[in-house]
Amino acid sequence: MPVEARAEACCRLKSSAPDVYRSLEISPMKKYLGSLLVLCSASYSAFAAHPLVTDDTGTQGKGNNQVEVNTDWLRQSGVGSHVGAFTYTYGATDNLDVFTNAPASFYPSAGVGDVSVGAKWRFADRNGGSLAIKPEFFLPSGNESKGLGNGRSSLALTQIASYADGPWTFHANIGVTINRYGTADDEAANRPVVWRASTAVWYAINAQWKIVADTGVAQNIARSSDVNPSFVLLGAIYSPNESVDLDVGAKVGLNKAEVGQQFGVGATFHF
């Protein structure tokens, strides 16, 4: 968790989770799952502190660094996948972070997904409440034929709100992703612009343990479907000291458009 978020709410969350809704593809099944699940653990991870999907307004503080690594096992329609992500964040100023996120897939397709670079700027902070904005640029680094990327660069923008009150901290996100595709078939099958919204809560049991919950919905990227993926998530974060956070989380889809089950673990290092 960002240094300031740790001080304000005694809580820490993560990354650079892929935007699970960013690179959904509709066929074949393995390609669909590969792109969905890779970016699910990488973009949302980039969007939030693992195991969460919803991001917080906390920043690292000027000159501070954060490294996040996580891995998730997912199952959809009886097919399993294994993905991971690596995120590096640097505090450019007290209120501005810059980051890069690299999602990866281990199974069924193996390789790196679309790497992203971005920033998070907290522009308002008063009476326990704060607001931030987070632009992100996705590079076409993933192998499109394996379902690991879109084949062209894409953009995302997220508005973040946080409010801390004692051991409780609440977060809300609303965002939009502008996807571009490398093939005419993908352009015809998938929406170029999709929205997403989510909300999360942290509860600090003590200085070391936090429990977290998250829920959200996003527009289905497939033009052929009006069923919007939605989920609920529960997790815990253990911070043995101020430099390390360890997390675990489980996410369940609320409809067939969302990944059915997901379990993940992660570690975050501050220095």
Side-chain angles (χ1 to χ4, degrees):
M1 155 198 216
V3 171
E4 295 192 26
R6 180 191 293 276
E8 296 170 4
C10 206
C11 300
R12 154 80 187 98
L13 307 175
K14 167 205 176 194
S15 140
S16 136
D19 185 340
V20 64
Y21 306 114
R22 183 179 161 273
S23 68
L24 229 105
E25 301 196 32
I26 57 177
S27 69
M29 177 60 75
K30 281 193 174 181
K31 184 176 179 182
Y32 165 84
L33 290 171
S35 63
L36 169 64
L37 306 179
V38 164
L39 286 142
C40 167
S41 88
S43 272
Y44 258 137
S45 292
F47 274 141
H50 198 268
L52 297 182
V53 171
T54 304
D55 203 356
D56 60 88
T57 60
T59 52
Q60 303 306 308
K62 185 176 182 179
N64 294 321
N65 302 271
Q66 177 178 277
V67 170
E68 302 170 274
V69 291
N70 63 78
T71 188
D72 290 80
W73 293 264
L74 309 95
R75 183 162 290 275
Q76 174 81 341
S77 302
V79 179
S81 293
H82 183 199
V83 299
F86 172 89
T87 307
Y88 170 71
T89 304
Y90 175 73
T93 71
D94 286 342
N95 296 332
L96 177 65
D97 282 353
V98 293
F99 67 87
T100 183
N101 177 70
S105 175
F106 307 113
Y107 176 84
S109 296
V112 176
D114 284 353
V115 173
S116 67
V117 293
K120 179 165 63 174
W121 174 45
R122 190 175 65 254
F123 59 87
D125 195 343
R126 184 176 181 182
N127 297 329
S130 54
L131 297 173
I133 193 166
K134 187 174 185 177
E136 189 168 10
F137 178 71
F138 296 88
L139 303 170
S141 54
N143 188 324
E144 185 183 14
S145 66
K146 291 184 176 182
L148 301 179
N150 283 355
R152 297 183 66 188
S153 59
S154 299
L155 295 170
L157 184 65
T158 306
Q159 175 69 62
I160 308 168
S162 295
Y163 178 75
D165 184 10
W168 295 94
T169 308
F170 305 90
H171 309 285
N173 291 182
I174 186 168
V176 62
T177 302
I178 302 173
N179 290 298
R180 301 196 305 159
Y181 303 99
T183 69
D185 287 345
D186 285 344
E187 287 184 350
N190 300 322
R191 293 184 172 96
V193 179
V194 293
W195 55 263
R196 51 193 152 72
S198 62
T199 185
V201 59
W202 312 346
Y203 180 76
I205 299 173
N206 53 42
Q208 286 76 44
W209 284 98
K210 306 96 182 174
I211 56 175
V212 299
D214 201 341
T215 187
V217 62
Q219 185 178 20
N220 197 318
I221 199 170
R223 295 181 188 269
S224 60
S225 177
D226 292 325
V227 178
N228 295 322
S230 58
F231 69 91
V232 292
L233 179 152
L234 293 175
I237 298 172
Y238 172 61
S239 305
N241 54 57
E242 293 187 353
S243 299
V244 178
D245 300 313
L246 306 175
D247 68 79
V248 60
K251 183 163 77 73
V252 177
L254 297 179
N255 55 35
K256 293 185 180 299
E258 175 61 82
V259 173
Q261 301 90 34
Q262 177 175 338
F263 175 80
V265 295
T268 302
F269 306 94
H270 313 272
F271 55 96

